[in-house]
Amino acid sequence: MPRIAVVGSGPSGVYTAQALVQQSSVPGILVDVLDRLPAPYGLVRYGVAPDHEKIKSLQNTLRSVLEHERVRFLGNVEIGAHGLTPERLLGLYHAVVYCVGAARDRRLGIPGEELAGSHSATDFVSWYSAHPDAVPAGFGLGTRSVVVIGVGNVAVDVARVLARGAEDFRPTDVPHPALGTLAGSAVRDVHMVGRRGPSQAKFTTKELRELGALPSAEVRVEPADLALDPAYAPAPAAAPTGSGPPATAALPLAAVNRRNVEVVRGWAGAPDQGRARRIHLRFFLRPVELLGADGRVTAVRFERTAPDGQGGVRGTGAYEDIEAGLVLRAVGYRGVPLAGLPFDETTGTVPHLAGRVLRHGVTSPGEYVAGWIKRGPTGVIGTNRACAKETVASLLADAPGLAARRIAGDPLDALRAAGHRPVEWPGWLAIEDAEAALGAELGRRSVKIPDWEGLLAAARGERGPSAT
């Protein structure tokens, strides 16, 4: 009976496990879903904003897979330089599928980025999502002005969290220390800034509209920014028959999102509504330097950009400073090398052929990848399903040769013998119970335990000292 290890319990890992146990060409496959964290679900638990209950409910779908009779969750198991090596792991299973995501945020590469008060949006999300690796001291929100660099859905989430009232988060699972910080926030102006226009921004229209529905904040847009957007540039005049193409080419429709522009236009020049906070959507500004005093960030210097006619932007030589005591960059993610696996530094992915890991250009028997570490940080959560199915199809095609390889008995015995203390499914259920009990004590619904000690104590049926 083939044994497969899936490394990572986020959507790509769970979809991979699901595809393996639902197929019929190789019956009886047993799947161990391994994760470095003691809690499953990956970015669904630690990346989706707490007020996005519908998306977070995807945990119920992932849960049904992890409770399958031939799937076993093994949390608190690290693979790589500080844990089990890929070589050793492959010795315990007939095949291993790595679904480890893209954990590193992209940097701006500009002066001042290391100033205190300059952070990645990833770190901020980890803090309010109670990731056990989050910055222990949390985030001080004693500044009136925050700049969020980026115009994707992560930037929108961060801006929305900063602009909402703390009472909006009491019914969610936000950790209690973070809730207290949000309640005492002095933030009044949130500037979300992109180097191109709204029609080429990466946020979805649904996410964008949510900003305008916040009862505690109003959205401000500079009409001058919209005037530059290529979605509203004049269409080129039709050329007379036989006269060749017009002097200017229209931007391809695929490069713009007119719905985003329509939403943003509705906010341009709107009168002040007197709400507690303001979200300023700014476009055609490229960050060039973080300014500071006494080692802390005080402002961001931007260069005004303009469309270059090819779908990109060019600098204009005009500059603008936006005051900020906190700067959060939300300009994308990048894969992180896993010691023992090949890695392409250019793409931030593991080299592969239809999911089969390539070592020196040759497929490595029994090693596979799926998710962002396979294709890069692209697509939505559902994209991982098709990605996983492609990888599983490759694995199943290789199955006769893989199953012929002899492995030891139950890998769990070998993991324990190597010093690992896996958190199995009952341990995760104990964490859930502890978080529900914590919420009841605080007069809230289930509240996440934000630290390693508390999570592992809860998995053992204890209560950690730092759970609140």
Side-chain angles (χ1 to χ4, degrees), residues 141-146 185-191 276-278 323-326:
L141 300 180
T143 180
R144 290 188 60 86
S145 180
V146 178
S185 172
V187 174
R188 294 296 178 266
D189 292 280
V190 180
H191 305 264
R277 296 182 177 91
R278 294 165 295 276
E323 177 186 344
L326 175 65

Side-chain angles (χ1 to χ4, degrees), residues 336-355:
V336 177
L338 185 67
L341 276 186
F343 188 75
D344 186 330
E345 289 287 352
T346 302
T347 62
T349 61
V350 171
H352 71 93
L353 179 63

Side-chain angles (χ1 to χ4, degrees), residues 17 24 47 51 69 90 92 106 142 152 161 185 275 333 353 355 393 429 457:
S24 58
D51 57 342
E69 61 182 358
L90 190 57
L92 303 179
R106 293 185 181 274
V161 168
S185 172
R275 293 179 181 171
Y333 296 95
L353 179 63
L429 297 181

Side-chain angles (χ1 to χ4, degrees), residues 45-421:
R45 175 175 166 90
Y46 289 119
V48 174
D51 57 342
H52 274 177
E53 293 290 339
K54 185 175 182 180
I55 301 176
K56 289 177 73 68
S57 68
L58 177 62
Q59 290 185 16
N60 296 328
T61 301
L62 304 182
R63 182 190 196 98
S64 67
V65 177
L66 294 174
E67 290 181 333
H68 190 281
E69 61 182 358
R70 286 188 281 117
V71 176
R72 181 168 58 180
F73 172 70
L74 300 176
N76 195 38
V77 177
E78 184 159 5
I79 309 300
H82 304 292
L84 205 64
T85 66
E87 180 182 14
R88 175 62 176 136
L89 186 63
L90 190 57
L92 303 179
Y93 294 90
H94 293 103
V96 180
V97 186
Y98 293 92
C99 307
V100 292
R104 181 189 301 162
D105 62 281
R106 293 185 181 274
R107 300 185 68 79
L108 299 170
I110 61 176
E113 195 167 5
E114 302 303 326
L115 287 168
S118 168
H119 302 272
S120 73
T122 306
D123 289 342
F124 187 70
V125 171
S126 293
W127 169 69
Y128 68 62
S129 297
H131 195 292
D133 291 338
V135 179
F139 284 78
L141 300 180
T143 180
R144 290 188 60 86
S145 180
V146 178
V147 167
V148 180
I149 299 174
V151 281
N153 282 347
V154 173
V156 173
D157 280 350
V158 167
R160 192 180 66 255
V161 168
L162 287 165
R164 293 199 84 140
E167 284 304 308
D168 292 344
F169 292 106
R170 281 193 63 82
T172 74
D173 58 6
V174 165
H176 215 57
L179 184 65
T181 299
L182 291 169
S185 172
V187 174
R188 294 296 178 266
D189 292 280
V190 180
H191 305 264
M192 189 169 72
V193 188
R195 62 187 177 88
R196 296 194 292 182
S199 68
Q200 295 170 285
K202 299 298 184 181
F203 42 59
T204 58
T205 305
K206 177 180 179 296
E207 294 264 359
L208 183 64
R209 285 184 174 132
E210 289 180 349
L211 295 180
L214 297 178
S216 56
E218 55 192 79
V219 182
R220 301 277 186 85
V221 176
E222 296 286 337
D225 289 356
L226 291 182
L228 292 170
D229 195 278
Y232 283 87
T241 303
S243 66
T248 59
L251 193 70
L253 289 177
V256 303
N257 186 334
R258 293 182 185 274
R259 290 181 300 171
N260 282 347
V261 181
E262 292 291 352
V263 173
V264 173
R265 284 186 82 181
W267 294 325
D272 190 339
Q273 301 173 42
R275 293 179 181 171
R277 296 182 177 91
R278 294 165 295 276
I279 299 173
H280 305 264
L281 293 185
R282 299 298 311 276
F283 301 98
F284 295 104
L285 291 173
R286 177 167 55 201
V288 294
E289 184 178 3
L290 269 60
L291 308 177
D294 300 322
R296 289 199 60 85
V297 66
T298 58
V300 184
R301 177 159 294 166
F302 293 92
E303 181 183 16
R304 168 64 75 177
T305 63
D308 63 5
Q310 305 298 318
V313 292
R314 56 176 176 79
T316 65
Y319 296 89
E320 177 180 341
D321 294 349
I322 298 179
E323 177 186 344
L326 175 65
V327 177
L328 301 172
R329 62 180 182 275
V331 292
Y333 296 95
R334 179 176 173 79
V336 177
L338 185 67
L341 276 186
F343 188 75
D344 186 330
E345 289 287 352
T346 302
T347 62
T349 61
V350 171
H352 71 93
L353 179 63
R356 297 178 177 93
V357 171
L358 296 175
R359 291 183 180 272
H360 308 294
V362 179
T363 56
S364 177
E367 293 186 307
Y368 302 85
V369 285
W372 280 2
I373 200 63
K374 169 187 173 184
R375 68 181 191 276
T378 61
V380 295
I381 289 176
T383 309
N384 291 295
R385 192 183 294 274
C387 177
K389 286 182 176 179
E390 180 193 51
T391 295
V392 168
S394 295
L395 190 157
L396 295 177
D398 302 339
L402 299 174
R405 190 166 57 83
R406 297 188 62 181
I407 60 173
D410 189 341
L412 183 55
D413 295 333
L415 290 173
R416 288 173 173 156
H420 296 274
R421 295 293 177 263

